[in-house]
Amino acid sequence: MQKIFFETIRKMIIAKTLSEFEAAYRSLPRKSDIGFVPTMGALHQGHISLVKKSVSESSHTIVSIFVNPTQFNNRQDLENYPRHPEQDCVLLKETGVDIVFIPRTEDIYPEEDNRIFDLGGLDRYGEGPRRPGHFNGVAQVVTRLFDIVKPARAYFGEKDFQQVAIISYFVKNLNYPVRIVPCPIVREEDGLAKSSRNTLLTSRQREAAPHIYKTLCLAAEWMKESTPQQVAEKVKTEIDKNPLLETEYVEIVNAETLQPVSGWDEARHIRLWCAVYARPVRLIDNIQLK
Ligand code: AMP
């Protein structure tokens, strides 16, 4: 008896089209307080930490798995992006998720999405100039998913620090009744930020990659005697000492405006963020300095 009850409350519906999702959604109690975790799949414990937080705070949790083409500015990157939804569902089954939504591209974009979003200039640095159109694509998919899922809260990782800030901005600007919940970065034991892209690293690159976070931690020391610009330079030089790594950028920004700072007293909170190639894989990471 107890076993049947247990299985009933843990039932997880997998919806592979919009109409399957809508049917599953209708089966939820009317006044559900929905927590939502949008992902691109190839799930790891970073994603699962968001899911667990949602499950602990919400009456029902919905996870989406959708590799959003409009946020990729590099076709090869889109094609190489790891995909294994069956494995993802096995992982999610243990977490208490109610619906896994794995839409087709035509469910999310029944027609071409030409919307251009106001991102408040938060895309001026960091990933913005290096991945033109990326954050607008993120805004397209996130607003579309919010319209479908209608969550009370949505959970995003600080691994993509700029993304959470930009989503918080346009959600507020567009009056979406969704609370954006930032969640801390989950790392491997050796410090490497967990990422779906880590599976694309060769074993030698994987061995080299923790050097990124180790260097970010050194920056917290260097800031005592150097300017932000000097620290950014030192971080770049140190990471690039490893022949398998090549920094694309290292920036130190005001954590609220996301504009570079030239002095440590210029902002209440300061973040160092970087993108590093272990070619052809591109890794990003960040750390709070203040
Ligand atoms: P993605 O599947 O890469 O689009 O990521 C889906 C969500 O998981 C985003 O909000 C990411 O920021 C978050 N995420 C990815 N990796 C991590 C991590 N290592 N720690 C915390 N959150 C993460």
Side-chain angles (χ1 to χ4, degrees):
M1 182 64 188
Q2 201 189 357
K3 185 163 181 285
I4 294 169
F5 175 67
F6 199 56
E7 278 177 358
T8 309
I9 60 168
R10 293 189 59 148
K11 188 161 170 276
M12 180 178 92
I13 301 174
I14 301 169
K16 293 188 172 168
T17 63
L18 182 56
S19 52
E20 281 180 22
F21 176 80
E22 285 168 345
Y25 195 82
R26 280 194 297 274
S27 75
L28 298 180
R30 207 55 76 80
K31 291 239 153 151
S32 298
D33 167 57
I34 293 173
F36 178 42
V37 184
T39 80
M40 298 205 297
L43 302 182
H44 50 66
Q45 291 305 316
H47 297 109
I48 298 301
S49 72
L50 274 51
V51 174
K52 285 188 174 158
K53 188 158 169 62
S54 173
V55 168
S56 75
E57 295 179 349
S58 318
S59 76
H60 293 81
T61 290
I62 296 174
V63 174
S64 65
I65 298 177
F66 179 62
V67 183
N68 173 38
T70 73
Q71 72 187 68
F72 283 80
N73 55 322
N74 176 327
R75 223 185 113 168
Q76 206 59 45
D77 189 25
L78 172 63
E79 278 169 16
N80 291 347
Y81 201 83
R83 293 168 172 87
H84 39 77
E86 286 85 8
Q87 210 172 304
D88 292 343
C89 288
V90 172
L91 209 55
L92 289 172
K93 190 109 210 304
E94 302 304 313
T95 61
V97 168
D98 297 276
I99 305 177
V100 187
F101 181 31
I102 314 180
R104 303 162 305 175
T105 303
E106 60 263 41
D107 293 315
I108 301 299
Y109 301 114
E111 52 208 51
E112 202 179 328
D113 192 340
N114 294 314
R115 293 174 297 159
I116 303 287
F117 288 79
D118 168 14
L119 305 178
L122 297 176
D123 59 339
R124 205 165 292 148
Y125 294 91
E127 294 293 281
R130 281 88 187 191
R131 300 186 68 188
H134 168 69
F135 288 117
N136 196 66
V138 168
Q140 289 174 340
V141 75
V142 167
T143 51
R144 176 79 178 123
L145 287 167
F146 282 3
D147 290 340
I148 296 169
V149 174
K150 299 180 191 63
R153 284 170 304 285
Y155 298 79
F156 293 91
E158 288 185 336
K159 157 91 186 341
D160 301 279
F161 188 79
Q162 192 172 16
Q163 172 173 276
V164 195
I166 289 178
I167 292 171
S168 302
Y169 174 84
F170 68 68
V171 158
K172 189 161 176 235
N173 205 24
L174 299 171
N175 288 317
Y176 270 88
V178 183
R179 188 157 69 80
I180 303 302
V181 185
C183 304
I185 303 175
V186 177
R187 298 181 179 279
E188 301 288 353
E189 265 179 31
D190 57 17
L192 176 64
K194 285 189 185 267
S195 164
S196 308
R197 289 189 170 91
N198 292 352
T199 59
L200 303 174
L201 298 170
T202 65
S203 56
R204 287 188 61 232
Q205 287 173 324
R206 176 63 190 80
E207 268 173 40
H211 184 55
I212 301 170
Y213 181 61
K214 285 205 183 90
T215 309
L216 301 197
C217 293
L218 288 176
E221 290 298 313
W222 294 336
M223 68 183 283
K224 292 176 194 151
E225 58 235 26
S226 310
T227 65
Q229 209 182 345
Q230 288 166 336
V231 171
E233 264 315 308
K234 276 170 123 166
V235 167
K236 190 169 160 38
T237 308
E238 179 59 32
I239 292 176
D240 289 343
K241 276 184 189 162
N242 188 306
L244 298 178
L245 304 174
E246 185 190 332
T247 52
E248 184 179 22
Y249 68 87
V250 177
E251 290 172 351
I252 297 181
V253 298
N254 178 326
E256 275 134 44
T257 64
L258 307 190
Q259 313 296 310
V261 293
S262 48
W264 300 113
D265 295 332
E266 254 173 51
R268 203 155 48 105
H269 296 294
I270 293 181
R271 207 93 186 177
L272 184 159
W273 62 29
C274 65
V276 178
Y277 276 104
R279 290 201 186 269
V281 184
R282 186 173 180 276
L283 303 169
I284 58 169
D285 202 350
N286 68 81
I287 188 172
Q288 179 173 1
L289 290 183
K290 182 184 162 194

